[in-house]
Amino acid sequence: MHPCKRLFYILDRPPLTCDTYMWLGRTNSRFPFSPYTKSHTKKSNTKKPRTKFWTPLLKKPVISSRIHNHSDYTLSKHEAQLLNLGLKHILPSSPPPPLILLKEFDSLSRTLRLKHFFKDEDNSPLNPFKLPNPSWQPPTKYIPLESIIVKHQTLFRNTLHKLKLKPNRIPLHLSQALRSLRNNNRIIILPADKNIGVCVLNKDTYYNKVVEHLSDSNTYRVVSHYPLEELSYRLKKIVNNHLGTLTTIEANYILHKPSTGYQVCNLYFLPKLHKNPMGFRPICSYNNSLFEQTSKWLHHQLMPILLLQKQYLKDSHSLIQTLEHLKPPPNSFIFTFDVESLYPSIPPKLGLEALRKIITPHFSTSKTNLIYTLSALTLEYHFLSFDDVIYQQVKGTAMGSNFSVVYACLFLAHLENSQPPHPNLCFFTRYIDDAFGIWTGTKLELENYLQFYNTSTNNCIKLTITTSPSRLPFLDLWINLKNSKFSFNCYQKPQNAYQYLPFSSEHPLHLKRHFIINELKRYLIRESTPLGFRRMKKLFFTRLITRGYPPSFIKENYKNVPFMVRKSLIYSRKPKSTLLPVIFKLRYTRVTPKIGIHDILKNLHEDLLLDPKLSHIPRPFVCWTKSKSIHSFLVKTKYKRSSPKSLT
């Protein structure tokens, strides 16, 4: 090979560290990049036993994770090793018992019966508001289908009886560390905001910071009790008064009561370690709340209207599609701005008025009144709980609700649509509270133009504006403007901890494989040049190595994403399927693939294809569910000053 070609071949490969050479067993000093070229050393006749690269790596500490210990508690060696694995890491777990597996096969059998019973409606889109009824069975049974189900159910049961799946146990030192951190009453463990890492705080510090945030009387107020009965009655009355506008399925969906009963929205906070001093981002959990279903229904109705707004931006991928063909004037510059604390800053009266004005042309009068009434009820009576104290949010909306995102976006869209078009504004788009635009005037003229956000809301909306003639970060992009032409680079925040899922985590191997491929595709779309893509590949390779990924596994997946497919990735997006698939749910452990469920489902599908009345049923596939992660053991979103339960 020519030396120049050899150098280009080397540079096109990710960088290697000393640890990587030792892993590969090649330390040739003459050819430091020998893992990617032919080895010039003599091969030994003695073959070393090869170990599978998916063996557990828990004995080897995973580096590169960031632990931000802001408490007075000193983490032990094993506790730090446990947190270095990341909160998404799944520790070894025992396989599910045969009884659970047989119940999942019964669920699969029910799905097959439903596919045959509703074969005429199989191509119709799914109704998102239809509540499931797991106890309902088709009234008639198709005998050939029942014989196929019984046949493979018997084979599955016999396979389970023959197999002896041994329990998988957590290493002793990690189990002790997990128990120690879980039973520690002095500290609280939370994921930091912006993917910065794991944060360890004193419980008292966390409590004082949250109470200080909730002491803002303009946004929150303490109430003595939660008026559940009154609100439930008002919600039923609104739904009953609009039964002509709502379908029966939609009405039942909105009024659906969970089996555990209604609960007050739980409030928790994520530490903002990138702020000085440290701040907290409030998150409200709507699970099992009174307005959970109402919020989802409102989101479904308002989302099509948001998609029609000219300034709406779906993601950075859509922005690249637009800007690659855009040629701004020579005297223009680019700008970005961020809305400070958007959700709690929206005045309730102005927000509801803007919502009514923007939805009126798209709906009938009755449906407009219904959406307005439900939105007002959701915003006005938003209660949340922290440490068994109930608060009412009297301003803005909470982060965590399905309705909050589309409501905030439509409010800003209304403000922007109410302004006459400015001749200096060449291009403008916005992703929730982050906006990007092209301006041909001066910076002072731009700031004066954007003052309408403040004046229209009585100074409730505040912006942080950034301008540049050539280069700015926006979302996960570096947007470059040169000679009236745009180019892009991948933007990664300096505080990012790159806490990728460790290779030792008990996740399916194909999930880790697709994670690498999809991340490379994301880099490929956001890098305009082969050199930039090559740089990101090298950085990604190094970060994967520090998370325990074998080099051979990484290189195998790197081959699937060449730079030449960039255009096809940018301008082609696969539509999401709306059809109900046929799945077999199975909790993944390292030994569950030994059951051979893939072969059983394959043979089942082959039998279905032999019958013309069953050939329309798609092939069943396995849906792997995950076991408990470190996050589920250590992170508790519901704050209690009492001692936590012991680890079982």
Side-chain angles (χ1 to χ4, degrees):
M1 183 183 293
H2 194 274
C4 295
K5 292 185 178 180
R6 185 180 182 86
L7 180 62
F8 180 80
Y9 186 76
I10 290 171
L11 292 177
D12 194 36
R13 295 295 191 266
L16 299 178
T17 61
C18 296
D19 294 338
T20 307
Y21 301 144
M22 297 301 295
W23 200 325
L24 293 173
R26 299 179 179 180
T27 56
N28 193 346
S29 60
R30 183 180 176 186
F31 300 96
F33 289 88
S34 60
Y36 301 114
T37 60
K38 292 183 179 180
S39 177
H40 292 264
T41 58
K42 294 183 178 179
K43 294 182 180 180
S44 178
N45 295 326
T46 57
K47 294 184 178 181
K48 296 181 179 180
R50 296 181 62 184
T51 57
K52 295 182 179 180
F53 54 74
W54 54 83
T55 53
L57 302 173
L58 295 175
K59 296 181 180 179
K60 183 179 179 179
V62 179
I63 59 175
S64 82
S65 300
R66 296 186 183 179
I67 304 174
H68 304 273
N69 191 358
H70 292 265
S71 68
D72 54 7
Y73 176 74
T74 303
L75 297 172
S76 67
K77 175 184 176 182
H78 296 314
E79 290 173 345
Q81 181 183 351
L82 179 71
L83 295 180
N84 270 330
L85 293 172
L87 298 177
K88 296 180 180 179
H89 187 280
I90 295 179
L91 295 169
S93 58
S94 300
L99 184 62
I100 301 297
L101 297 176
L102 291 174
K103 286 184 178 180
E104 293 298 339
F105 198 94
D106 292 339
S107 300
L108 172 66
S109 304
R110 178 178 178 271
T111 305
L112 296 175
R113 296 186 182 103
L114 294 175
K115 281 288 184 181
H116 174 261
F117 186 78
F118 295 103
K119 58 182 177 180
D120 297 333
E121 305 176 10
D122 198 40
N123 295 325
S124 59
L126 296 174
N127 192 332
F129 307 114
K130 190 173 182 179
L131 296 172
N133 187 6
S135 61
W136 188 84
Q137 296 287 346
T140 58
K141 293 184 178 181
Y142 186 56
I143 303 301
L145 176 60
E146 296 300 321
S147 61
I148 294 174
I149 291 175
V150 171
K151 171 187 174 183
H152 292 279
Q153 190 177 24
T154 305
L155 292 173
F156 183 62
R157 186 183 291 107
N158 295 335
T159 303
L160 293 178
H161 285 306
K162 292 178 182 179
L163 286 175
K164 294 182 179 180
L165 302 179
K166 298 180 180 179
N168 214 355
R169 302 195 180 274
I170 305 174
L172 182 60
H173 65 286
L174 293 182
S175 177
Q176 292 175 349
L178 186 65
R179 191 181 302 274
S180 173
L181 291 174
R182 183 177 172 88
N183 294 334
N184 195 327
N185 300 328
R186 296 162 48 192
I187 61 174
I188 186 169
I189 300 173
L190 295 168
D193 194 36
K194 306 291 185 183
N195 195 27
I196 296 179
V198 182
C199 183
V200 184
L201 295 170
N202 289 324
K203 268 195 171 183
D204 295 337
T205 304
Y206 176 76
Y207 177 79
N208 295 332
K209 289 285 186 181
V210 172
V211 171
E212 181 182 353
H213 178 87
L214 295 174
S215 62
D216 183 8
S217 58
N218 296 324
T219 308
Y220 306 98
R221 71 177 181 184
V222 182
V223 296
S224 58
H225 70 287
Y226 177 46
L228 177 60
E229 295 182 0
E230 179 186 350
L231 294 178
S232 181
Y233 173 77
R234 293 186 62 174
L235 182 61
K236 289 180 181 178
K237 187 177 180 180
I238 294 172
V239 172
N240 292 330
N241 292 336
H242 293 83
L243 287 179
T245 306
L246 290 169
T247 63
T248 305
I249 294 177
E250 290 176 324
N252 294 333
Y253 180 83
I254 294 174
L255 299 177
H256 175 67
K257 187 177 182 179
S259 58
T260 56
Y262 294 120
Q263 298 178 5
V264 188
C265 298
N266 179 46
L267 183 67
Y268 63 97
F269 291 77
L270 299 181
K272 294 182 178 180
L273 301 180
H274 57 284
K275 300 289 186 179
N276 190 17
M278 180 178 60
F280 285 86
R281 182 183 299 276
I283 307 292
C284 188
S285 175
Y286 262 63
N287 293 336
N288 295 332
S289 65
L290 177 63
F291 298 120
E292 179 187 4
Q293 313 298 107
T294 306
S295 176
K296 293 179 180 179
W297 184 85
L298 288 171
H299 177 272
H300 187 269
Q301 301 299 322
L302 298 176
M303 195 62 194
I305 301 176
L306 179 59
L307 296 177
L308 296 175
Q309 307 305 312
K310 59 183 179 180
Q311 64 273 60
Y312 171 76
L313 178 63
K314 183 179 180 181
D315 51 21
S316 57
H317 188 165
S318 303
L319 183 61
I320 293 173
Q321 290 178 334
T322 304
L323 294 182
E324 280 204 340
H325 302 286
L326 191 65
K327 293 184 178 181
N331 60 341
S332 61
F333 64 88
I334 55 179
F335 70 91
T336 62
F337 71 74
D338 174 56
V339 183
E340 300 178 6
S341 302
L342 173 61
Y343 295 99
S345 300
I346 302 174
K349 187 177 181 180
L350 293 178
L352 289 172
E353 290 178 358
L355 182 64
R356 179 185 283 278
K357 290 179 181 179
I358 204 168
I359 68 174
T360 298
H362 303 278
F363 296 115
S364 62
T365 305
S366 59
K367 193 164 187 177
T368 301
N369 294 332
L370 173 62
I371 293 175
Y372 179 85
T373 306
L374 290 177
S375 302
L377 185 68
T378 304
L379 293 173
E380 184 179 358
Y381 297 100
H382 176 56
F383 294 88
L384 44 92
S385 172
F386 178 79
D387 194 28
D388 295 332
V389 179
I390 300 176
Y391 299 85
Q392 183 181 3
Q393 186 169 342
V394 295
K395 181 184 177 182
T397 182
M399 183 180 294
S401 167
N402 296 75
F403 169 67
S404 298
V405 179
V406 64
Y407 168 72
C409 291
L410 287 176
F411 173 71
L412 293 181
H414 173 72
L415 297 180
E416 294 154 0
N417 296 336
S418 59
Q419 299 299 312
H422 200 284
N424 292 341
L425 187 62
C426 303
F427 177 80
F428 180 80
T429 188
R430 178 174 43 77
Y431 178 79
I432 308 179
D433 58 347
D434 293 314
F436 171 82
I438 305 173
W439 188 265
T440 58
T442 62
K443 184 179 179 181
L444 182 60
E445 292 175 339
L446 174 64
E447 292 176 351
N448 293 334
Y449 171 71
L450 296 178
Q451 284 298 318
F452 72 86
Y453 288 98
N454 299 333
T455 56
S456 304
T457 59
N458 299 324
N459 295 325
C460 292
I461 300 296
K462 298 180 180 180
L463 309 179
T464 303
I465 306 172
T466 308
T467 62
S468 174
S470 58
R471 182 177 173 88
L472 273 180
F474 180 70
L475 301 181
D476 60 345
L477 288 175
W478 274 113
I479 302 178
N480 311 304
L481 178 60
K482 186 177 181 181
N483 299 328
S484 298
K485 187 177 181 181
F486 285 100
S487 62
F488 310 96
N489 296 108
C490 189
Y491 173 68
Q492 295 177 323
K493 295 184 178 181
Q495 303 91 351
N496 198 330
Y498 304 106
Q499 282 195 314
Y500 304 137
L501 185 72
F503 194 78
S504 60
S505 179
E506 201 164 73
H507 284 78
L509 192 64
H510 72 268
L511 187 145
K512 301 167 186 175
R513 182 181 297 109
H514 286 292
F515 157 68
I516 296 176
I517 294 174
N518 292 332
E519 191 73 1
L520 286 176
K521 289 181 179 180
R522 191 176 70 86
Y523 294 153
L524 181 58
I525 293 172
R526 287 152 184 79
E527 292 288 341
S528 301
T529 61
L531 184 62
F533 180 55
R534 195 179 306 157
R535 176 181 60 87
M536 293 306 302
K537 285 173 64 177
K538 293 179 180 181
L539 290 174
F540 190 41
F541 186 93
T542 305
R543 292 161 183 166
L544 288 174
I545 288 293
T546 60
R547 301 300 289 171
Y549 285 77
S552 58
F553 182 76
I554 303 173
K555 291 190 294 179
E556 179 187 349
N557 296 288
Y558 267 43
K559 298 176 182 178
N560 298 322
V561 190
F563 185 81
M564 60 186 67
V565 300
R566 182 175 184 269
K567 285 189 176 181
S568 62
L569 289 176
I570 292 177
Y571 299 106
S572 64
R573 283 191 169 185
K574 294 182 180 180
K576 294 183 179 179
S577 176
T578 59
L579 301 178
L580 183 66
V582 180
I583 61 173
F584 181 89
K585 291 194 298 182
L586 181 61
R587 183 166 60 84
Y588 183 82
T589 63
R590 296 189 185 276
V591 295
T592 44
K594 296 180 180 179
I595 299 175
I597 187 62
H598 292 282
D599 296 333
I600 295 175
L601 297 181
K602 181 182 178 181
N603 296 331
L604 188 149
H605 185 242
E606 290 175 355
D607 289 347
L608 293 175
L609 293 176
L610 297 176
D611 192 329
K613 295 183 178 180
L614 301 176
S615 59
H616 69 282
I617 300 177
R619 179 179 176 177
F621 65 93
V622 181
C623 179
W624 296 107
T625 60
K626 62 180 183 180
S627 304
K628 287 186 176 182
S629 61
I630 296 177
H631 184 282
S632 60
F633 286 111
L634 299 182
V635 179
K636 303 299 179 185
T637 56
K638 192 170 184 179
Y639 180 86
K640 289 184 179 181
R641 280 183 280 184
S642 59
S643 60
K645 296 180 181 179
S646 59
L647 180 63
T648 57

